[in-house]
Amino acid sequence: MLEPLAHIGRDPATGGYVRDAWSAADMELREWFAGEAGRRGLDLREDRNGNLWAWWGDPSGRPGVVTGSHLDSVRQGGAYDGPLGVVSAFAALDLLKERGITPARPVGVVCFTDEEGARFGVPCMGSRLLTGVLAPERALALTDDSGDTLADVLTKAGRAPYELGRDDETLATVGTFVELHVEQGQALVHEGRPVGVAAAIWPHGRWRFDFHGRADHAGTTRLADRDDPMLPFARMVLAARAGAARRDVVATVGKVRVAPGNANAIPGLVSAWLDARGADEAAVRALVAELAEEAPATVREESWTPVVDFAVPLRERLARVAGGDTPAPVLPTGAGHDAGILATAGVPSAMLFVRNPTGVSHSPDEHAERADCEAGVVALADVLEDLCR
Ligand code: HGY
Ligand code: MN
Ligand code: MN
Ligand code: MN
């Protein structure tokens, strides 16, 4: 199903995908989205935050049912996280048309911008700006690893006139949002089912730890004279793992920047990004507070997503419709999604998960079987048909 996108942003050396927001790969994906909308005669719109919408019917009169996800990726990510939801959305519309369905409500396909936050560090950038939980001034000042701000990047991408920020007009077009996503875990494998429904999204956040030291020569500086930031950084990583295990949360340090980065010099600065998540918000907060307390570092919270409990009536309705003879399993997840941001903003939202045989995600090894992807499309079409009555 994802073949048309398979070459875009793919690293031939690893099979992984590098699709940073506003990169050449992302621009090519956005063109693909526009082409898919055009081929179906859908009304294509790009909102003030760069999110793309393709409408079947006019939502200005009556809020529509929207489905979709994102096309950007983490660095060296998999093929399915994000694109499966967008490709399935277009395929589900095709199925509705094949069934001769004329929806009583407008139906939209959305591609949210910069869901992974791989480039500027804040996940769900497009949906956070859309719903107003991220201030435009903060977003525009965010920098990528090259030091370019989002403002610089948007200008280079030909979107300088963007008026980033809460967009009530666009939000008003979304009556219900359903995001289909590859499962990032193996619950559906254990349940023996191809499709599931999201119950909740764990609270989760990202924090930047800056460990300051004194750059000096690797060979001539006595150990006793060193102020090496690598050591407190190493202690923080070990404390994060031990603290997470004690509190039944998960903590990850997957990105570290060492400055200036000479093999023959003690670094002056080590910057590390902590990702912490868990079912219990207080436990996540307590872990981060303990690490910030103990680490001789400046600590900044870069993003926080409170727990998302998807509304029971809507999620149970999806479980019945998507499940066929027996309701689909309803599962919590530790992964963040645009559906969570919209739900938090009060937009009736829900998620469908498609089985992932290994559960692996954010890796080139991410995979979903074709039959399960097709089952996901049928389930999504059934859900859209049900919601559009
Ligand atoms: O990080 C996440 O949970 C999501 O993949 N953005
Ligand atoms: Mn992801
Ligand atoms: Mn995703
Ligand atoms: Mn030298």
Side-chain angles (χ1 to χ4, degrees):
M1 269 175 58
L2 301 181
E3 293 76 13
L5 304 175
H7 65 289
I8 302 175
R10 185 174 182 277
D11 179 344
T14 61
Y17 286 88
V18 182
R19 295 167 166 170
D20 276 15
W22 304 109
S23 63
D26 192 32
M27 301 309 278
E28 196 176 341
L29 289 161
R30 297 168 75 87
E31 282 162 27
W32 169 83
F33 184 95
E36 290 300 296
R39 279 193 323 109
R40 294 171 175 83
L42 305 177
D43 170 19
L44 179 67
R45 304 178 185 184
E46 182 167 335
D47 71 18
R48 63 194 295 187
N49 296 298
N51 303 305
L52 295 172
W53 306 78
W55 282 103
W56 178 16
D58 177 359
S60 49
R62 181 179 180 200
V65 177
V66 177
T67 183
S69 189
H70 61 95
L71 292 172
D72 68 298
S73 74
V74 294
R75 288 164 188 174
Q76 296 295 337
Y80 295 82
D81 176 351
L84 183 64
V86 180
V87 169
S88 299
F90 283 120
L93 261 62
D94 296 343
L95 205 44
L96 291 181
K97 291 183 180 175
E98 280 169 34
R99 292 177 182 175
I101 304 285
T102 306
R105 298 173 66 181
V107 181
V109 176
V110 65
C111 169
F112 285 108
T113 293
D114 197 358
E115 191 274 349
E116 294 293 1
R119 183 169 185 177
F120 296 100
V122 174
C124 299
M125 171 97 78
S127 53
R128 286 179 200 265
L129 284 166
L130 168 68
T131 56
V133 292
L134 175 65
E137 359 357 295
R138 176 164 176 241
L140 287 167
L142 291 171
T143 55
D144 65 12
D145 292 344
S146 75
D148 279 351
T149 64
L150 174 62
D152 300 333
V153 168
L154 287 176
T155 302
K156 286 178 191 164
R159 282 156 172 84
Y162 260 168
E163 290 291 310
L164 299 187
R166 183 179 169 91
D167 183 346
D168 287 307
E169 190 183 335
T170 298
L171 271 176
T173 65
V174 189
T176 310
F177 176 55
V178 178
E179 179 169 4
L180 180 145
H181 205 283
V182 65
E183 186 190 356
Q184 294 157 309
Q186 286 186 299
L188 289 173
V189 172
H190 302 317
E191 296 273 352
R193 301 291 294 271
V195 174
V197 172
I201 293 177
W202 285 356
H204 60 283
R206 288 186 198 183
W207 291 264
R208 172 173 170 162
F209 282 65
D210 282 324
F211 296 88
H212 296 276
R214 191 182 63 253
D216 208 333
H217 198 293
T220 57
T221 312
R222 297 185 320 150
L223 293 183
D225 297 337
R226 293 182 179 215
D227 179 5
D228 183 348
M230 197 59 90
L231 298 181
F233 155 67
R235 282 196 291 272
M236 183 276 271
V237 175
L238 293 173
R241 169 58 71 93
R246 272 199 315 278
R247 292 183 171 82
D248 191 22
V249 303
V250 288
T252 311
V253 176
K255 179 178 177 180
V256 182
R257 232 179 12 220
V258 181
N262 299 302
N264 59 349
I266 302 161
L269 170 65
V270 174
S271 299
W273 281 261
L274 173 75
D275 177 309
R277 317 185 185 201
D280 176 358
E281 180 169 327
V284 174
R285 289 281 187 196
L287 171 65
V288 178
E290 175 193 283
L291 297 174
E293 174 73 27
E294 284 173 11
T298 48
V299 182
R300 267 183 298 172
E301 179 175 288
E302 294 206 332
S303 74
W304 173 252
T305 305
V307 62
V308 175
D309 284 309
F310 288 106
V312 173
L314 182 57
R315 76 188 198 205
E316 296 302 330
R317 181 173 176 179
L318 258 74
R320 280 194 309 278
V321 173
D325 302 339
T326 52
V330 182
L331 316 158
T333 180
H337 299 282
D338 293 305
I341 303 298
L342 263 66
T344 304
V347 175
S349 302
M351 291 191 73
L352 289 175
F353 290 133
V354 170
R355 178 165 49 193
N356 173 339
T358 64
V360 169
S361 184
H362 284 188
S363 156
D365 297 337
E366 183 183 81
H367 180 68
E369 297 297 338
R370 182 171 195 88
D372 288 343
C373 294
E374 289 168 352
V377 170
V378 171
L380 182 57
D382 293 347
V383 162
L384 294 177
E385 186 177 344
D386 176 57
L387 293 173
C388 286
R389 289 191 197 294

